[in-house]
C-alpha cells in the first residue's frame, strides 16, 4: 500500500532546532527534495520523487529538542481529541484548522507519548509510503504498555495483538485486522525520566549503507544495524539536532 487509510498513521513531521541543517541532512540521507510552503511559517514538505513523504518546521516554542511527530488520520480531529481524553490521554495542543490543508491537534497517551491528529482537507497525508525513502512503520516505546494498549484501543480502535515472534514482548496494533503500528516496553536502562515516545521508521534499500551515510552527514546511532528474524535489518538513529528515527531494510519493501 502506498497511501494511508483513515484511522492509521498517515503523516509525520519534524520540528527542528535548525531547519536549514535538517533540509541538508535529510535530503542527503534519503534523496528527498524540500518544498517550503508559502506563508507557512517556515513549514516545508519533504518530497520523494515529487511525492510528499514528511513535513519539517522550526520549533514552535523556539527551544527544546528536535523531534518527529506521528499523526493519526481522523474524520474529526476534535472528536478524536475528546475520545483520547476520555481514554486517559491528555490534550497537548487543542485542535486548530491549518488554512485549507486540514485540522490538527496534539495529544499524549497515559504514559506521555505524543501523538498528532490530522483531519485531512487539501492535504491528505502521505502521497507514498512503505517504499525506500518513505515512512513504513511507527513504534511505541512505553513506560506502561498494558495501560497504553487499553488507551489505543479506546481512543483509535487499535486492537493490540501479541507478536508471534518467539522470545519477544512485542505488540502489534491492528485496525480492521491490518497491523498499523507496534509497541514494546521501554528499555529499563534508559535514563530516569525518559518519556514514552513514538519512533517513526523509514524504509531503506540498505540499512548499513544508510547508517554510514547519515553518520557521515553528522547524525548518530542509538542502536546499530541489527537483524530482526523474518522482518529485515533495522537501526535506531538520530539527526544532527538529536531527533530520533529508525530505518528498516525489509525483505519485501527494500527492493530499490
Amino acid at each position: 500500500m502506498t497511501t494511508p487509510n483513515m484511522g492509521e498513521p498517515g503523516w509525520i513531521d519534524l520540528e527542528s532546532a535548525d531547519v536549514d541543517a535538517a533540509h541538508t541532512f535529510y535530503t542527503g540521507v534519503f534523496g528527498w527534495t524540500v518544498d517550503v510552503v508559502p506563508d507557512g511559517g517556515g513549514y516545508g514538505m519533504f518530497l520523494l520523487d515529487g511525492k510528499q513523504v514528511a513535513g519539517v518546521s522550526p520549533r514552535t516554542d523556539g527551544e527544546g529538542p528536535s523531534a518527529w511527530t506521528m499523526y493519526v488520520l481522523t474524520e474529526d480531529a476534535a472528536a478524536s481529541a475528546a475520545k483520547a481524553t476520555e481514554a486517559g490521554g491528555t490534550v497537548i495542543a487543542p485542535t486548530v484548522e491549518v488554512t485549507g490543508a486540514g485540522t490538527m491537534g496534539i495529544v499524549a497517551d497515559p504514559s506521555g507519548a505524543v501523538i498528532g491528529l490530522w483531519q485531512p482537507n487539501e492535504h491528505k497525508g502521505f502521497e507514498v509510503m512503505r517504499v525506500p525513502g518513505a515512512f513504513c512503520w511507527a513504534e511505541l516505546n512505553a513506560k506502561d504498555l498494558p495501560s497504553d494498549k487499553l488507551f489505543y484501543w479506546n481512543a483509535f480502535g487499535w486492537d493490540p495483538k501479541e507478536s508471534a515472534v518467539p522470545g519477544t514482548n512485542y505488540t502489534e496494533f491492528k485496525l480492521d485486522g491490518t497491523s498499523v503500528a507496534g509497541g514494546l516496553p521501554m528499555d529499563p536502562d534508559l535514563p530516569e525520566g525518559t518519556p514514552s515516545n513514538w519512533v517513526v521508521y523509514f524504509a531503506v534499500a540498505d540499512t548499513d549503507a544508510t547508517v554510514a551515510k547519515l553518520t557521515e552527514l553528522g547524525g548518530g546511532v542509538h542502536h546499530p544495524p541489527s537483524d530482526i528474524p523474518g522482518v529485515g535489518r533495522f537501526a535506531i538513529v538520530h539527526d544532527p539536532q538529536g531527533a530520533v528515527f529508525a530505518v528498516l531494510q525489509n525483505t519485501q519493501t527494500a527492493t530499490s
Side-chain angles (χ1 to χ4, degrees), residues 45-213:
M45 296 291 186
F46 282 127
L47 309 177
L48 176 67
D49 297 329
K51 295 180 185 259
Q52 296 176 356
V53 292
V56 57
S57 69
R59 290 290 309 176
T60 54
D61 57 8
E63 57 186 43
S66 299
W68 283 96
T69 300
M70 176 270 290
Y71 293 77
V72 176
L73 296 190
T74 173
E75 299 280 3
D76 187 327
S80 292
K83 200 167 185 180
T85 302
E86 292 170 6
T90 304
V91 173
I92 303 299
T95 54
V96 60
E97 185 177 353
V98 182
T99 309
T103 301
M104 67 169 287
I106 305 290
V107 299
D109 70 21
S111 294
V114 172
I115 320 106
L117 305 170
W118 183 251
Q119 178 184 331
N121 189 9
E122 293 175 2
H123 177 59
K124 308 300 183 186
F126 298 120
E127 293 183 334
V128 64
M129 56 193 293
R130 301 192 181 106
V131 300
F135 171 86
C136 67
W137 190 243
E139 187 172 83
L140 173 68
N141 293 297
K143 284 185 172 180
D144 186 350
L145 188 57
S147 293
D148 284 342
K149 288 180 185 179
L150 187 60
F151 169 81
Y152 288 99
W153 168 251
N154 288 326
F156 301 121
W158 291 1
D159 188 8
K161 298 294 185 183
E162 297 304 313
S163 171
V165 179
T168 66
N169 185 14
Y170 197 84
T171 294
E172 290 186 37
F173 292 106
K174 293 180 177 284
L175 181 65
D176 298 328
T178 299
S179 293
V180 296
L184 72 168
M186 182 175 286
D187 186 340
D189 293 332
L190 288 173
E192 186 175 353
T194 301
S196 297
N197 58 87
W198 280 96
V199 177
V200 299
Y201 277 68
F202 297 101
V204 295
D206 186 326
T207 292
D208 293 81
T210 301
V211 169
K213 181 67 174 177

